[in-house]
Amino acid sequence: MTLEERFGERVSVSTSFGESTVDVGPADWIEVLTFLRDSGHTFFDWLTGVDDPPDGFFVVAHVYDPDSCERVLVRTRVPRADPRLPTAVGVYRGANWHERETYEMFGVLFDGHPYLVPLLLPDGFEGHPLRKDFILAARVAKPWPGAKEPGESGHGSPSRRRTLPPGVPADWGTPDA
């Protein structure tokens, strides 16, 4: 039985460069992953988030069938206002670490996760650094090494007007500071 036969219009399957991508709603996330696991996609490769402003995030999982060498990318979209999804740890134990990282970096909550705590960032870190609206303060606090624009090396033509990096508020100072 194929995904289309099993789930009908609840999934959308596309193929690109010989690999399948399955788009599914959050309500069917676990059921689709379970179906793929039971149909031979026993190797869980990775899971991550993709910020897709302004409305939400994609959560993407990559699974593999070692017998047929078939790869499948499963993705779902969660809203920015309440980014939550059921945990896939009960389907693929390897999802544990990946869901913790996605929670920490994007702020996506995985309901039912056994240990959803920060994994990589220091204690007390605020925000989710892989969101596109996260301000990269290091670009303001420490100048980028080397010449970035024509004329910044001290010789040659004059430089263009200097601007703040994208996403940095104007009141954080000038780029020359």
Side-chain angles (χ1 to χ4, degrees):
M1 177 180 287
T2 66
L3 276 165
E4 293 93 340
E5 293 170 347
R6 170 69 173 84
F7 294 97
E9 292 185 14
R10 296 186 313 183
V11 299
S12 171
V13 180
S14 60
T15 302
S16 179
F17 300 103
E19 301 208 3
S20 298
T21 300
V22 179
D23 288 299
V24 61
D28 295 317
W29 174 250
I30 296 302
E31 195 175 349
V32 167
L33 288 173
T34 303
F35 176 82
L36 286 167
R37 182 202 60 200
D38 295 345
S39 65
H41 293 82
T42 55
F43 181 76
F44 178 85
D45 195 8
W46 51 262
L47 178 142
T48 191
V50 177
D51 193 352
D52 188 35
D55 300 327
F57 303 94
F58 283 107
V59 176
V60 184
H62 188 258
V63 295
Y64 179 73
D65 181 344
D67 295 329
S68 68
C69 298
E70 179 187 31
R71 296 168 173 80
V72 176
L73 196 70
V74 183
R75 66 183 171 194
T76 190
R77 186 176 178 84
V78 293
R80 184 172 293 277
D82 186 25
R84 54 178 69 242
L85 199 60
T87 183
V89 172
V91 181
Y92 292 105
R93 286 180 25 202
N96 188 326
W97 188 94
H98 297 271
E99 287 181 352
R100 287 177 61 192
E101 181 185 38
T102 303
Y103 161 69
E104 186 172 29
M105 296 297 166
F106 292 96
V108 176
L109 295 169
F110 291 92
D111 294 330
H113 191 282
Y115 192 61
L116 197 60
V117 297
L119 179 70
L120 303 170
L121 297 173
D123 291 338
F125 189 91
E126 292 183 19
H128 305 287
L130 292 184
R131 287 187 175 193
K132 291 183 180 175
D133 59 359
F134 186 79
I135 297 171
L136 298 175
R139 291 293 303 267
V140 176
K142 179 180 177 186
W144 194 259
K148 297 176 283 192
E149 299 288 337
E152 286 186 356
S153 62
H155 44 306
S157 62
S159 67
R160 293 185 264 179
R161 179 178 54 92
R162 297 178 189 211
T163 59
L164 291 170
V168 175
D171 62 346
W172 278 30
T174 64
D176 297 330

